[in-house]
Amino acid sequence: MSFVRPAARAPRRTLLAAGAGALAAALTLSACSGGSNGKSGGGGDTNFVTSTGGISTVAKGERPDAPELSGKDLTGSPLDLADYKGKVVVLNVWGSWCAPCRSEARYLEKVAQQTKDKGVQFLGINTRDTQTGPALAFEKEFGVSYPSFHDPIGKLMLTFPKGSLNPQSIPTTIVVDRDGKIAASAPRALDDKALRSMIDPIVAEK
């Protein structure tokens, strides 16, 4: 009669290392997400209705106020959302370290150029870039012409109404209507078609 030796167990330190690696990967995905689970981020009752494409919208008259955003851009110049009152403002949260942000950058610039004569202003919120150098290099590489707030620790992101922006979902794009209300949000990377489907109905509002 022969016996089969049971498989040796992996050393405990190997298992711990594997677990730590999986946790790090999960945190990386949560911090730089290119997809959407179909729900608006952050929770809370904000009257958002999410489409199958992951773009959440709010009916006119039910929209929350956009926060007061002011600070400095990546060159150190003052930047204030209030200066664009009366325009449709497209806010994009991004970081130079974020791969999905790189994939959507050319689409954002393309649509910014297409819609600027229609009263649309694009603004970025650059986050988790502790130094502006990498962010400026990103803008140069992708030909980004519109300014971005420098928000290295996510302070500006935390001023948004609960449910309108999840600080862990980067990139995120938010559209603010001419009355300064948050009209749409998408916690994922977008192409030009998705951007136009998000922006055009708000531009067309009277």
Side-chain angles (χ1 to χ4, degrees):
M1 182 174 180
S2 61
F3 294 90
V4 178
R5 184 185 299 273
R9 293 184 178 180
R12 179 176 176 82
R13 62 178 175 271
T14 302
L15 293 173
L16 289 174
L23 177 58
L27 289 173
T28 300
L29 287 172
S30 69
C32 185
S33 172
S36 171
N37 60 8
K39 297 178 181 179
S40 58
D45 182 12
T46 53
N47 298 315
F48 277 100
V49 176
T50 306
S51 72
T52 55
I55 297 174
S56 301
T57 58
V58 189
K60 196 170 184 179
E62 299 179 357
R63 297 169 181 169
D65 290 328
E68 295 181 2
L69 299 179
S70 62
K72 293 185 177 180
D73 67 14
L74 294 172
T75 68
S77 298
L79 186 59
D80 195 328
L81 176 62
D83 291 340
Y84 302 99
K85 186 176 181 180
K87 289 181 175 285
V88 173
V89 178
V90 180
L91 294 165
N92 177 256
V93 182
W94 64 282
S96 68
W97 44 268
C98 169
C101 300
R102 300 178 70 83
S103 71
E104 74 168 358
R106 61 189 179 97
Y107 296 118
L108 289 161
E109 177 61 25
K110 177 182 178 180
V111 177
Q113 294 299 323
Q114 290 175 342
T115 58
K116 63 182 180 180
D117 292 337
K118 298 180 180 181
V120 178
Q121 174 66 49
F122 276 61
L123 295 175
I125 300 177
N126 170 256
T127 190
R128 300 181 198 170
D129 278 313
T130 55
Q131 303 296 322
T132 60
L136 288 168
F138 178 102
E139 289 190 333
K140 183 177 180 180
E141 179 180 355
F142 294 102
V144 177
S145 62
Y146 52 85
S148 285
F149 292 97
H150 187 219
D151 188 30
I153 62 173
K155 183 178 178 181
L156 295 179
M157 295 170 67
L158 295 177
T159 65
F160 281 80
K162 188 176 180 181
S164 63
L165 187 153
N166 182 349
Q168 296 303 314
S169 294
I170 299 170
T172 287
T173 298
I174 287 177
V175 182
V176 178
D177 68 18
R178 294 184 183 90
D179 297 321
K181 309 282 188 178
I182 296 175
S185 176
R188 65 180 184 88
L190 301 171
D191 61 17
D192 52 339
K193 292 181 180 178
L195 280 163
R196 291 301 298 260
S197 72
M198 189 178 181
I199 298 167
D200 289 351
I202 300 165
V203 172
E205 291 177 349
K206 303 299 182 183

